[in-house]
C-alpha cells in the first residue's frame, strides 16, 4: 500500500495551473468544443448559424458568470466597461422594434447580444489577471494547431473542400459550408503567438510561440482565404511596428524566408497560392463570380440603408430585401462541395461585410453603436503605449491589439455566421479585458 511519503506531490505551479483551469473552464469549454464537427450545417450569414455545442457552452458560460456575480454581491463592471460593452444593445433593440416584422428579428437580437455583449462581458469577468489571459490565449493557439493540422491533412489527401475542381481547400472540422471557419481560427492563433513572440516573456515561451507561428503559417496559406490573409498581414504588421522597428525588420525577414521555403521551395500549393494572391489586385479589372456577387450584395446593402437610413430594414432583413435591391449580376448562390459533404448550392444571405450588414439591417444608429464600442476597445488597448515596454504586460497588449485589429479588418470581407462566430465573442472578451481592466493592472 502506498504511504503518504510515496504519493506524488503536486507542486505549487501545477496546483495554480489546475486552479486557474478550473476557474476558466467555462471559457475553455467554448474553445475546445469548436473541435466538434458542425454536422454539415450551413454557415448562414448575418445572424444565422446558431445551435452548435460551442454556442450551448457559451450560454453556460454566461449563466455561470451570472451566478458568480450574484454570489459576489459586488458591482461586476465599471461604469465605463458597462457603457462600452452595452452600447451595441441600443442599435440592436431599436432595429428590432422598428422592423416591419419584429417577430422574425428576435433570433437576430439574441445572436447579436450573445456575440457582442453577453459572451464578451462573461469572458471579461472570468479572466482575473494576465496569467488567466495567457491560459485562454494559449487555448486559442491549441485550437488553431489542431484545426490547422486537420486542414493540412485535407490538402495533402485531397479530402478538403472543393477549390477550382479539386478537394484541396483546408477547412478543418468546419466543413465545406463554412470555409472561413478554419482560416479564422488559425489566424487568431497566429496573431496570438506573434504577440507572445514579440512580448517580454521568458525564452521558452517565446521559442514555443515562434514554433507555433511556423506551424500555423501553412494551414493559413492552404485555406485560400484572401480576407484572412489580408487581415493577418495587417494585424501582425501592426504588432511588429508596436514592438519596435528593429524587431519588426528581423521578424519580417524571418517570415518572408519561411514563406519562400514552404510555398516556393517545397512547392506546397505554389501555383494556386500565386494565382489567389494575384486575384487580390485584379478584383476590379477581371473579377471572378464570387467577387461580382460580393460587390452586388454590397450595393444591395447600400440601397437598403438608403431606404431606411436611421434604423435599417430590421435584423435578419437582408435576405428578405436582397432581391428587391440587387442587380441581375447576382448569382443564385455559391457552390460548395467536399470535406465529407456532397455538392450544395449555398444561398447568399448576407453581404459578407459586417459594416454593410449592420448598416443595412440596423441603420446608422446601429452601425455607430457597434463601431463606437469596437473603437473604444481599440483606443483603450492602444492608449497605454507603455504597455508595450519591458515588464509591463507587453504580450497581453500586443495580443489584444492584434486580435482586435484582425477582427475589424476581417469585417470588411466577412460577417457573423457559422460555428466560429462564438470564438469571435471570446476574442472580443479577451480584448475587452485588456482594454477596460487588464491594462490598469499591468
Amino acid at each position: 500500500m502506498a504511504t503518504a511519503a510515496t504519493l506524488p506531490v503536486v507542486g505549487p505551479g501545477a496546483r495554480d495551473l489546475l486552479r486557474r483551469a478550473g476557474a476558466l473552464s467555462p471559457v475553455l469549454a467554448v474553445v475546445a468544443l469548436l473541435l466538434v464537427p458542425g454536422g454539415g450545417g450551413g454557415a448562414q450569414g448575418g445572424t444565422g448559424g446558431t445551435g452548435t455545442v460551442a454556442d450551448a457552452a457559451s450560454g453556460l458560460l454566461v449563466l455561470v458568470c451570472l451566478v458568480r456575480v450574484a454570489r459576489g454581491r459586488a458591482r461586476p463592471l465599471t461604469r465605463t466597461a458597462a457603457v462600452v460593452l452595452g452600447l451595441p444593445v441600443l442599435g440592436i433593440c431599436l432595429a428590432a422594434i422598428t422592423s416591419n416584422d419584429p417577430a422574425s428579428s428576435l433570433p437576430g437580437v439574441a445572436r447579436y447580444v450573445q456575440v457582442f455583449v453577453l459572451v464578451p462581458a462573461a469572458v471579461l469577468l472570468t479572466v482575473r489577471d494576465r496569467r488567466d489571459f495567457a491560459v485562454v490565449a494559449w487555448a486559442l493557439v491549441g485550437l488553431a494547431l489542431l484545426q490547422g493540422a486537420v486542414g493540412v491533412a485535407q490538402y495533402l489527401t485531397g479530402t478538403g473542400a472543393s477549390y477550382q475542381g479539386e478537394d484541396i481547400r483546408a477547412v478543418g472540422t468546419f466543413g465545406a459550408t463554412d470555409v472561413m471557419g478554419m482560416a479564422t481560427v488559425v489566424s487568431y492563433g497566429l496573431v496570438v503567438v506573434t504577440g507572445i513572440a514579440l512580448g517580454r516573456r521568458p525564452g521558452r515561451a517565446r521559442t514555443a510561440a515562434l514554433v507555433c507561428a511556423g506551424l500555423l503559417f501553412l494551414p493559413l496559406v492552404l485555406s485560400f482565404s484572401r480576407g484572412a490573409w489580408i487581415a493577418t498581414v495587417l494585424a501582425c504588421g501592426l504588432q511588429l511596428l508596436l514592438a519596435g522597428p528593429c524587431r519588426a525588420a528581423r521578424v519580417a525577414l524571418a517570415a518572408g524566408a519561411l514563406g519562400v521555403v514552404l510555398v516556393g521551395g517545397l512547392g506546397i500549393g505554389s501555383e494556386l497560392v500565386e494565382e489567389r494572391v494575384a486575384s487580390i489586385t485584379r478584383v476590379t479589372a477581371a473579377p471572378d463570380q464570387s467577387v461580382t456577387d460580393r460587390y452586388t450584395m454590397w450595393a444591395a446593402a447600400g440601397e437598403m440603408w438608403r431606404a431606411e437610413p436611421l434604423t435599417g430594414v430590421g435584423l435578419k432583413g437582408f435576405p428578405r430585401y436582397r432581391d428587391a435591391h440587387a442587380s441581375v449580376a447576382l448569382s443564385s448562390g455559391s457552390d460548395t462541395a467536399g470535406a465529407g459533404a456532397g455538392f450544395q448550392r449555398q444561398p447568399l444571405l448576407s453581404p459578407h461585410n459586417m459594416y454593410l450588414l449592420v448598416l443595412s439591417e440596423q441603420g446608422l444608429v446601429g452601425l455607430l453603436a457597434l463601431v463606437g464600442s469596437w473603437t473604444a476597445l481599440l483606443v483603450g488597448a492602444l492608449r497605454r503605449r507603455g504597455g508595450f515596454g519591458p515588464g509591463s504586460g507587453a504580450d497581453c497588449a500586443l495580443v489584444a491589439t492584434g486580435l482586435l485589429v484582425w477582427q475589424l479588418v476581417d469585417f470588411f470581407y466577412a460577417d457573423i455566421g457559422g460555428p466560429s462566430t462564438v470564438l469571435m465573442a471570446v476574442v472580443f472578451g479577451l480584448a475587452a479585458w485588456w482594454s477596460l481592466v487588464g491594462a490598469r493592472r499591468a
Side-chain angles (χ1 to χ4, degrees), residues 52-314:
T52 66
V53 289
D55 280 300
S58 74
L60 182 61
L61 165 64
V62 173
L63 181 60
V64 170
C65 188
L66 287 174
V67 172
R68 289 177 179 175
V69 169
R71 292 179 61 185
R73 296 182 180 180
R75 188 170 68 178
L77 297 173
T78 64
R79 185 176 302 173
T80 300
V83 170
V84 171
L85 291 177
L87 188 59
V89 177
L90 172 64
I92 295 168
C93 292
L94 185 60
I97 293 171
T98 59
S99 171
N100 292 329
D101 189 358
S104 66
S105 296
L106 289 179
V109 173
R111 187 60 159 168
Y112 272 97
V113 172
Q114 172 205 13
V115 174
F116 298 118
V117 181
L118 292 181
V119 174
V123 173
L124 182 150
L125 293 172
T126 304
V127 174
R128 297 164 299 177
D129 52 31
R130 292 207 305 258
R131 291 187 178 181
D132 281 359
F133 184 101
V135 170
V136 179
W138 277 108
L140 294 179
V141 176
L143 174 65
L145 289 170
L146 292 172
Q147 290 286 0
V150 174
V152 172
Q154 289 171 333
Y155 174 84
L156 295 176
T157 59
T159 57
S162 178
Y163 180 76
Q164 294 191 357
E166 300 180 78
D167 293 344
I168 57 172
R169 188 169 190 175
V171 292
T173 64
F174 294 100
T177 56
D178 186 16
V179 294
M180 281 294 295
M182 189 214 72
T184 298
V185 171
V186 170
S187 298
Y188 286 156
L190 193 54
V191 170
V192 168
V193 294
T194 300
I196 294 173
L198 294 172
R200 307 294 177 178
R201 304 299 294 173
R204 282 185 294 183
R206 185 176 302 167
T207 301
L210 290 172
V211 171
C212 291
L215 294 174
L216 292 173
F217 178 82
L218 183 57
L220 179 61
V221 170
L222 298 179
S223 71
F224 299 108
S225 173
R226 292 171 293 198
W229 292 350
I230 294 171
T232 303
V233 168
L234 293 179
C236 293
L238 178 62
Q239 288 175 311
L240 289 170
L241 292 177
L242 291 174
C246 293
R247 301 178 75 190
R250 291 197 298 268
V251 175
L253 288 174
L258 178 64
V260 170
V261 170
L262 289 177
V263 179
L266 300 181
I268 300 178
S270 55
E271 294 183 4
L272 293 173
V273 171
E274 289 175 6
E275 181 179 345
R276 192 68 165 169
V277 172
S279 70
I280 297 175
T281 61
R282 62 169 186 264
V283 291
T284 55
D288 55 31
Q289 185 58 48
S290 66
V291 175
T292 300
D293 286 340
R294 183 162 300 189
Y295 284 165
T296 304
M297 290 189 293
W298 287 4
E303 291 295 326
M304 293 180 201
W305 170 66
R306 293 184 186 93
E308 298 286 347
L310 288 181
T311 58
V313 297

Side-chain angles (χ1 to χ4, degrees), residues 1-63:
M1 181 181 296
T3 64
T6 61
L7 292 175
V9 178
V10 179
R15 285 198 298 268
D16 179 67
L17 182 61
L18 290 173
R19 190 163 50 246
R20 288 181 183 277
L24 293 170
S25 57
V27 179
L28 299 179
V30 175
V31 177
L33 288 173
L34 281 166
L35 288 169
V36 178
Q44 300 176 34
T47 53
T50 59
T52 66
V53 289
D55 280 300
S58 74
L60 182 61
L61 165 64
V62 173
L63 181 60

